[in-house]
Amino acid sequence: RNLVNAWFGRGIANGKLGQQADAVADFSRGIELDGKVANAWYNRGVAYSKLGKYAEAVDDFTQAIALDPKDADQLSASLFTVPHRQLVA
């Protein structure tokens, strides 16, 4: 679990530095180690969205909601960060 937290923390730091591709890689490593951490899926979705990879972002937001349904309202609000034209393309 400590290694998962390390990758998560590094992903957050890279995201704050505007290094979204590195953040995606970091969150992905954490997800590989423990795919049940909703915040990792959510934050990777945010990074994907900032990279314009909207389909991947929606997939990650959906997985985060599935893992943590009690936060579904808050997490589903993230779907509104994805431009509509990208969802129907």
Side-chain angles (χ1 to χ4, degrees):
R1 183 76 176 160
N2 286 339
L3 192 53
V4 173
N5 289 337
W7 284 112
F8 181 77
R10 184 174 151 159
I12 293 291
N14 276 321
K16 287 182 179 180
L17 292 171
Q19 299 170 345
Q20 302 307 324
D22 290 338
V24 166
D26 294 336
F27 292 126
S28 295
R29 288 295 305 269
I31 289 168
E32 287 172 17
L33 294 169
D34 184 353
K36 295 181 182 178
V37 180
N39 280 336
W41 289 94
Y42 166 78
N43 282 290
R44 189 175 74 172
V46 170
Y48 273 137
S49 182
K50 290 180 179 180
L51 288 170
K53 296 184 175 188
Y54 302 114
E56 292 90 339
V58 169
D59 288 345
D60 280 3
F61 293 147
T62 302
Q63 183 63 24
I65 291 167
L67 289 169
D68 194 0
K70 68 178 173 32
D71 286 337
D73 289 340
Q74 180 181 349
L75 293 171
S76 63
S78 301
L79 294 172
F80 293 106
T81 66
V82 177
H84 176 71
R85 69 183 181 283
Q86 297 298 328
L87 293 174
V88 295

